[in-house]
Amino acid sequence: MTLLAFADAINLALREELHRNPRAMLLGQDIGRSGGVFRVTADLQQTFGADRVVDAPISEAGIVGMAVGLCLSGWRPVCELQFDAFSYPALNQIFTHVSRYRWRTRGAAAMPMVIRMPCGGGVKAPELHSDSPEAYYCHTPGLVVVMPSTPADAKGLLTAALRAQDPVVFLEPKKLYRHARGEVPETEHIVPLGSVRTVREGSDVTLIAWGAMIDVAVQAADVVREEGVSAHICDVRTLSPLDRAGILDAVRASGRVVIVQESPRSCSLASEIAALAAEEALYDLRAPVVRVSGYDAPYPYYSVEHYHRPDWARVVDAIKQVLAA
């Protein structure tokens, strides 16, 4: 094991796969010579060359469209889209080609690509640099969607994504890039896609979250523990397809559920998980499910983002609400 920052764990996973698989390659804006805006791909071009770590033009649709052709030619491309909202110009390629090619060709042509992008707020970035767009991708059949919350999971889930036959949208909470540090296996480490992680076991309330919101959930759980409340914390990790059984086990652990997400509230992943709990575990619920989320508005400017982004105090209020129901 080695102690790594979240960003460095991703770098390690990419480095190991580039060593292991000569058909793996990276492409994105500024990922080579400068190592990416968050330095996630630092030194990879120096090690593997400009033909395998490609500095692409400023064209997100072009980057993803090029990756479609690379997949059809036997490569395993990894696209980096520089920021969450910068992925929107590429949605046509992602929705009409990447997600559909296996279905369109009746399984003859897979799309074994990974589309990486930073997501979420908390770093005082300008407009279009702090979105949480996971619901768009989770709603799209044919895509696997992942958002890790720890350095070890960042490496393990990314390694699994790099070897998957289906396209994976790999969302990286930018708040965690340098903020989250933890032990990471130095040797090969694979975390299977499609499984939740139990962060903490508890019996009074269940907190379900993913990405940077796991830290917020842990902070809230620590606060209510001082008041004698035992919180169970479930890290969803793979957002699509959901580990339905794992989530339902977490719901049944307490019967009182708070779902914490950074994205807007309506038509969100939290809404889907709440519906799952209502449909499959209604008689296990002891109170209505409560959602703590961003608001149904564009992500605000950094001077007021702390009003928009969920924090531990909002989660504690939600915990008290479900306990009082």
Side-chain angles (χ1 to χ4, degrees), residues 132-193:
S132 296
E134 60 262 32
Y136 300 139
Y137 302 110
C138 291
H139 187 69
T140 305
L143 297 178
V144 177
V145 185
V146 177
M147 191 188 300
S149 65
T150 68
D153 273 359
K155 181 187 179 185
L157 288 166
L158 181 54
T159 301
L162 292 167
R163 301 182 189 182
Q165 285 300 107
D166 290 309
V168 179
V169 175
F170 198 85
L171 300 166
E172 302 164 4
K174 61 180 74 71
K175 174 73 172 177
L176 301 183
Y177 273 145
R178 301 298 167 187
H179 174 76
R181 299 182 66 83
E183 289 192 337
V184 178
E186 291 182 307
T187 54
E188 182 177 84
H189 177 52
I190 300 175
V191 175
L193 302 175

Side-chain angles (χ1 to χ4, degrees), residues 68 71-72 75 98 101-102 105 107-113 164-167:
V68 171
C71 286
L72 295 174
W75 288 84
V98 174
Y101 233 101
R102 174 175 281 204
T105 62
M111 283 284 118
M113 75 168 71
Q165 285 300 107
D166 290 309

Side-chain angles (χ1 to χ4, degrees), residues 257-310:
V257 179
V258 175
I259 307 170
V260 188
Q261 65 176 13
E262 202 166 339
S263 65
R265 178 183 177 89
S266 298
C267 305
S268 63
L269 185 62
S271 304
E272 178 65 22
I273 293 172
L276 173 64
E279 291 172 353
E280 303 292 338
L282 179 62
Y283 295 110
D284 298 294
L285 291 175
R286 303 166 66 185
V289 175
V290 175
R291 291 172 288 164
V292 179
S293 69
Y295 298 105
D296 290 342
Y299 198 90
Y301 290 106
Y302 55 82
S303 59
V304 292
E305 73 171 338
H306 57 285
Y307 293 115
H308 181 93
R309 190 170 180 269

Side-chain angles (χ1 to χ4, degrees), residues 15 19 46 50 55 148 155 172 195 212 230 270 273 275 314:
R15 182 180 299 275
H19 271 299
Q46 290 87 328
D55 279 316
K155 181 187 179 185
E172 302 164 4
S195 62
S230 170
I273 293 172
R314 287 177 59 190

